Amino acid sequence: MRLDRPVVFGNWKMNGLRAEGLALAGTLAERAVRLTGTLGIFPPFTLIHAVAQRVKETAILVGGQDCHERASGAYTGCVSAPMLADSGAKAVILGHSERRHGLGESDALVRAKLRAARAAGLLVVLCIGETEAEYLAGARSARLAAQIDGSLPEGIGPEGLVVAYEPVWAIGTGRTPTAEEIRATHREIRAMLAKRIVGGDSVPLLYGGSVKPENAAEIMALGDVDGVLVGGASLDARSFWSIYQAGGGA
Ligand code: PGA
């Protein structure tokens, strides 16, 4: 799957009943018949099939927000990677901080999920990011290196992988690192991936955490930032589309 810049992904989180989710997808679909960049939306599981149907004439990518590490079995309440693909998903977000920190997911579990998602042919958006305490303690690089090391299966290639850097303290808070911090951290992540994966420097890198139409252009103009992962602002079609345009997308 080729991912043209800017790569702009919207994580709807646990938002959207059928009517509003389909309306949002429909508005985006009208604007996105042809795309110069890559636009993706990640609705809740319940809407994946309907949303994928709604945008099927467009290049909009639809994905899930998580998957189980097994393909099937006695795992009440869980959804597997082949199920996501069967619903029309082409991608999945893994290791989001709301799952790592909110639900206690470890690097080892994220790694198992990543293996399952790639086996099902899904593009993986692997999220990494330091907490505020780690940031203040100057432990950001160590944390990111540990997450990259622990979340990526041995022998994985760069294909089908995107990494999103999302500082936990910037998610949903309205606070972001400075442009210089984002630039430096992305450069560092690029180097870590190059060390860990053969061809790893070609993995698209996204920034996530309080991205809005007002700060999107500055963030996406930074070297080594290939796009953004947007939460709150992706629930409004106009904001999400202006973020995409701010990154040069049309
Ligand atoms: P936010 O969320 O844009 O609402 O800060 C980002 C994310 O969680 O991916």
Side-chain angles (χ1 to χ4, degrees):
M1 193 185 299
R2 222 183 86 192
L3 300 182
D4 292 319
R5 286 178 69 162
V7 180
V8 175
F9 288 165
N11 173 10
W12 293 5
K13 310 193 178 184
M14 197 172 72
N15 294 293
L17 299 178
R18 226 178 130 77
E20 65 217 24
L22 286 178
L24 175 52
T27 309
L28 293 172
E30 281 160 23
R31 299 179 185 218
V33 180
R34 266 184 230 99
L35 290 173
T36 58
T38 308
L39 199 68
I41 47 181
F42 295 74
F45 291 136
T46 48
L47 291 182
I48 287 174
H49 185 253
V51 164
Q53 287 292 313
R54 185 65 192 79
V55 304
K56 69 170 190 263
E57 307 297 336
T58 76
I60 298 176
L61 200 75
V62 177
Q65 300 170 14
D66 179 49
C67 70
H68 196 268
E69 66 276 22
R70 299 284 173 88
S72 64
Y75 302 101
T76 302
C78 300
V79 174
S80 73
M83 289 171 179
L84 283 181
D86 189 48
S87 305
K90 299 273 186 276
V92 65
I93 294 172
L94 293 176
H96 191 278
S97 85
E98 284 150 20
R99 299 200 64 90
R100 287 184 187 269
H101 300 286
L103 299 168
E105 289 196 359
S106 64
D107 287 338
L109 180 58
V110 174
R111 182 169 67 236
K113 291 180 173 197
L114 204 154
R115 208 181 275 122
R118 290 301 300 130
L122 297 172
L123 171 80
V124 171
V125 184
L126 171 67
C127 299
I128 57 173
E130 81 285 357
T131 63
E132 180 152 35
E134 287 161 346
Y135 173 75
L136 294 173
R140 174 175 51 195
S141 300
R143 184 73 187 124
L144 297 177
Q147 285 179 330
I148 286 174
D149 207 42
S151 308
L152 291 174
E154 284 310 317
I156 189 177
E159 319 76 34
L161 182 66
V162 171
V163 170
Y165 167 56
E166 300 203 302
V168 179
W169 51 274
I171 296 177
T173 58
R175 294 160 58 208
T176 60
T178 64
E180 189 41 46
E181 284 175 308
I182 296 175
R183 188 210 314 273
T185 307
H186 277 246
R187 191 186 305 134
E188 214 178 334
I189 292 171
R190 178 96 57 209
M192 290 174 188
L193 288 168
K195 241 203 236 164
R196 180 71 165 74
I197 301 176
V198 180
D201 55 349
S202 67
V203 172
L205 298 186
L206 312 184
Y207 168 78
S210 297
V211 175
K212 304 181 279 271
E214 299 76 44
N215 61 15
E218 184 187 15
I219 292 172
M220 280 188 274
L222 299 169
D224 290 314
V225 177
D226 299 302
V228 287
L229 177 56
V230 187
S234 73
L235 295 172
D236 177 77
R238 201 182 309 177
S239 301
F240 190 51
W241 188 258
S242 20
I243 289 170
Y244 175 68
Q245 286 182 316

